[in-house]
Amino acid sequence: MVVKIYLIIVYDVNIERVNKVHKFLRTHLHWQQNSVFEGEVSKSQYNIILEKLKELINEETDSIIIYEIPEKYLTKKVLGIEK
């Protein structure tokens, strides 16, 4: 059985790295808003995402927040338009 994890990733990175982070995350998750991605991934996909993000950013100046939500607890409300 493949365990799935629902992720919400929010980032604030230097302008030099924004496009690289955005482009990478688009290959694994759904783009929601300017610096927000979300989606369901396997544990192995999660590990790949984590390792690649560590390579792409400067941990002394950039910030990435990853929310891990078990599927059974996920609820989502959207006000306004959903991208």
Side-chain angles (χ1 to χ4, degrees), residues 3 6 8 17 19 21 24 27 41 52 54 61 66 68 77 82:
V3 176
Y6 198 87
I8 299 173
R17 291 178 285 283
N19 286 335
V21 171
F24 169 71
T27 64
V41 297
K52 184 63 176 180
K54 287 179 183 179
T61 60
I66 301 173
E68 301 174 35
K77 289 185 183 179
E82 183 173 9

Side-chain angles (χ1 to χ4, degrees), residues 54-65:
K54 287 179 183 179
E55 291 175 17
L56 290 174
I57 69 166
N58 178 337
E59 291 189 48
E60 294 180 12
T61 60
D62 299 331
S63 174
I64 295 180
I65 300 170

Side-chain angles (χ1 to χ4, degrees), residues 15-16 19 22 26 29 33 43-44 49 58 72-73 79:
I15 191 77
E16 299 167 356
N19 286 335
H22 180 89
R26 267 193 109 139
L29 300 167
Q33 291 186 348
K43 186 66 173 168
S44 62
I49 291 169
N58 178 337
K72 63 183 176 181
Y73 296 114
L79 302 177

Side-chain angles (χ1 to χ4, degrees), residues 4-22:
K4 294 287 189 169
I5 304 165
Y6 198 87
L7 299 179
I8 299 173
I9 298 181
V10 180
Y11 62 91
D12 184 7
V13 298
N14 187 290
I15 191 77
E16 299 167 356
R17 291 178 285 283
V18 166
N19 286 335
K20 289 179 185 177
V21 171
H22 180 89

